[in-house]
Amino acid sequence: MTPEQIVRKFFEEVRSGHNPDYSTELMAEQVLAHQIISEEEITVLRTPKDYAEHVREMIEAYGDFSLEIQEFLVQGNKVYVRWKQVGTHVGEVEGYQPTGLPVIELASAIYRIEDEKISEYWIQIDRSGIQKQLKSNKNIFSN
């Protein structure tokens, strides 16, 4: 598969929550996950198994969420994806109890493909926006 096909399949199957365990087919045994959190870069070593668990945690928190790819660019063995994820707050998130209200995540990542597997990625998520929504939903829910 081409880098484009690998990342599209990753979003269709794994990141979408439809088939998290398919990560073993699309991800290297160890993946460097560079996460930008408030201008601080943190690198986490991920395996396909713990990425699948991460997706399951999202499902527990946000139910069967929708995932819309808004931009998709390919340059050699790197693929850039920007997406919008919309879920319903059905599980505890960062101490916030479920409200049943929508939560929107806006994010983007660059995936590097090596030997037909995702081997590294750099991800940025609007965590501040998610926090504001959780806080606002808590206030709406408690009124």
Side-chain angles (χ1 to χ4, degrees), residues 10-11 13-21 23 27 31 33-35 37 44-63 65 67 83 85 92-94 105 107-109 111 121 123-125 127 130:
F10 176 74
F11 269 79
E13 296 293 330
V14 180
R15 187 66 184 67
S16 67
H18 294 136
N19 186 4
D21 293 322
S23 58
M27 298 178 81
V31 177
H34 307 282
Q35 303 174 1
I37 302 171
V44 177
L45 191 60
R46 288 225 185 255
T47 65
K49 183 179 176 184
D50 66 32
Y51 193 88
E53 184 57 34
H54 169 64
V55 172
R56 284 188 199 59
E57 289 170 358
M58 284 191 290
I59 294 168
E60 287 174 15
Y62 301 113
F65 53 85
L67 186 65
W83 67 90
Q85 178 176 311
E92 184 179 329
V93 177
E94 299 177 24
E105 172 188 281
S108 63
Y111 297 89
Y121 63 88
I123 186 167
Q124 293 180 296
I125 299 172
R127 295 183 195 281
I130 293 170

Side-chain angles (χ1 to χ4, degrees), residues 42 47 58 60 68 80 86 113 117 125 133-134 143:
I42 298 169
T47 65
M58 284 191 290
E60 287 174 15
E68 173 193 349
Y80 168 82
V86 181
I113 309 305
K117 302 263 185 174
I125 299 172
Q133 291 173 76
L134 292 170
N143 286 335

Side-chain angles (χ1 to χ4, degrees), residues 104-137:
I104 298 169
E105 172 188 281
L106 300 174
S108 63
I110 298 171
Y111 297 89
R112 186 172 66 82
I113 309 305
E114 187 176 293
D115 298 325
E116 295 192 350
K117 302 263 185 174
I118 295 170
S119 61
E120 187 172 16
Y121 63 88
W122 296 260
I123 186 167
Q124 293 180 296
I125 299 172
D126 180 14
R127 295 183 195 281
S128 176
I130 293 170
Q131 278 289 335
K132 287 179 182 177
Q133 291 173 76
L134 292 170
K135 186 175 181 178
S136 175
N137 287 353

Side-chain angles (χ1 to χ4, degrees), residues 3 8 36 39 41 56 89 112 114 126 132 140 142:
R8 283 198 189 278
I36 308 298
E39 291 76 41
E41 186 174 334
R56 284 188 199 59
H89 186 191
R112 186 172 66 82
E114 187 176 293
D126 180 14
K132 287 179 182 177
I140 291 169
S142 63

